[in-house]
Amino acid sequence: MDSIIFDLDGTLWDSRKTVAKSWTRVVKDANCKRREITENDLRGTMGLQIPDIADILFDDLSKEERMELILACCEQERVDLEQEGGKLYEGLEETLNALSKKYRLFIVSNCQEGYIESFYAYHGLGHFFEDFENPGRTGLSKGENIQLVMERNGLSEPVYVGDTEGDRAAAVFAGIPFVFAAYGFGEPEGYDERIESVRELEKLYL
């Protein structure tokens, strides 16, 4: 094992409080049936790509209107996350610091462009990670983005840490082990390792 690739939502942080507020600010003035986006609404969309989230939350709109609205939500979210951040899981910075001394660290998330950068900007943790990728930048699936990060950085034995079935499937697609973050939002069909907190990665790999 030479590296660890992380999912972001439900694995490194929980941004739903800030994101729900941001999206509500946008949708309350939009021409859609929803007047509010709650943290529970967002929980049900964790791990999905942006077009799929739009289909779920804004199904009363046309495809074009859905994408226009959700991209406006994402832009407001980016601004707010840079100013307010999200909730880091307990012990995250200490664990990243310890892991980075032995392994190369990366992020691959199913988010829009600018989201991971907002995580870095507010919480100041970007120096722990060598590279990141997302479909907002590449248009690729999570599994393909994992492969892209592996190829781009010459990784031979990474593991992927995530919290949803989509994360498990992406790791399988990329041909690497999957570590299930059981404190997150999902319940995958299987996993190679399971952790109940971020700190357990230290016990597992150090």
Side-chain angles (χ1 to χ4, degrees):
M1 179 175 153
D2 61 352
S3 53
I4 304 174
I5 307 174
F6 291 92
D7 173 46
L8 183 48
D9 292 322
T11 303
L12 300 179
W13 76 347
D14 180 354
S15 67
R16 289 177 300 156
K17 183 176 180 179
T18 302
V19 173
K21 182 173 65 175
S22 299
W23 288 27
T24 294
R25 185 179 301 173
V26 175
V27 303
K28 69 179 183 180
D29 296 323
N31 184 31
C32 67
K33 66 183 180 183
R34 284 185 183 270
R35 304 261 61 88
E36 180 185 17
I37 301 294
T38 67
E39 290 184 42
N40 194 54
D41 291 331
L42 294 173
R43 184 182 183 92
T45 65
M46 287 298 173
L48 300 179
Q49 291 201 18
I50 293 299
D52 298 321
I53 297 173
D55 289 344
I56 293 171
L57 295 181
F58 308 128
D59 60 342
D60 58 315
L61 302 178
S62 69
K63 286 282 188 181
E64 293 77 13
E65 291 170 329
R66 292 176 198 178
M67 286 307 300
E68 182 179 351
L69 179 55
I70 202 164
L71 290 177
C73 288
C74 288
E75 176 56 24
Q76 184 63 54
E77 161 195 301
R78 182 191 64 77
V79 171
D80 291 344
L81 282 171
E82 285 188 359
Q83 297 176 351
E84 302 176 32
K87 179 183 178 182
L88 299 181
Y89 288 112
E90 185 177 356
L92 178 63
E93 184 168 3
E94 295 85 351
T95 296
L96 291 176
N97 183 57
L99 292 172
S100 67
K101 297 182 187 309
K102 185 175 181 180
Y103 303 104
R104 301 171 67 190
L105 307 182
F106 304 86
I107 295 177
V108 173
S109 173
N110 262 353
C111 59
Q112 72 279 10
E113 191 169 5
Y115 187 79
I116 297 172
E117 294 93 324
S118 296
F119 167 75
Y120 287 169
Y122 184 83
H123 294 288
L125 301 178
H127 62 284
F128 290 121
F129 301 96
E130 291 188 32
D131 194 8
F132 67 87
E133 202 50 88
N134 60 75
R137 193 160 70 171
T138 66
L140 301 175
S141 71
K142 181 171 280 188
E144 290 169 323
N145 279 325
I146 291 173
Q147 287 185 327
L148 180 61
V149 166
M150 290 170 62
E151 293 165 4
R152 195 159 66 201
N153 294 280
L155 309 182
S156 58
E157 295 183 81
V159 299
Y160 187 67
V161 183
D163 65 308
T164 68
E165 169 58 23
D167 292 334
R168 184 203 66 82
V172 170
F173 180 91
I176 63 176
F178 173 61
V179 180
F180 172 39
Y183 52 86
F185 303 121
E187 192 61 51
E189 293 179 3
Y191 48 83
D192 296 289
E193 300 286 354
R194 176 188 176 110
I195 56 172
E196 300 294 336
S197 70
V198 170
R199 284 191 176 278
E200 287 191 13
L201 285 171
E202 296 182 54
K203 297 178 182 177
L204 194 59
Y205 293 124
L206 296 179

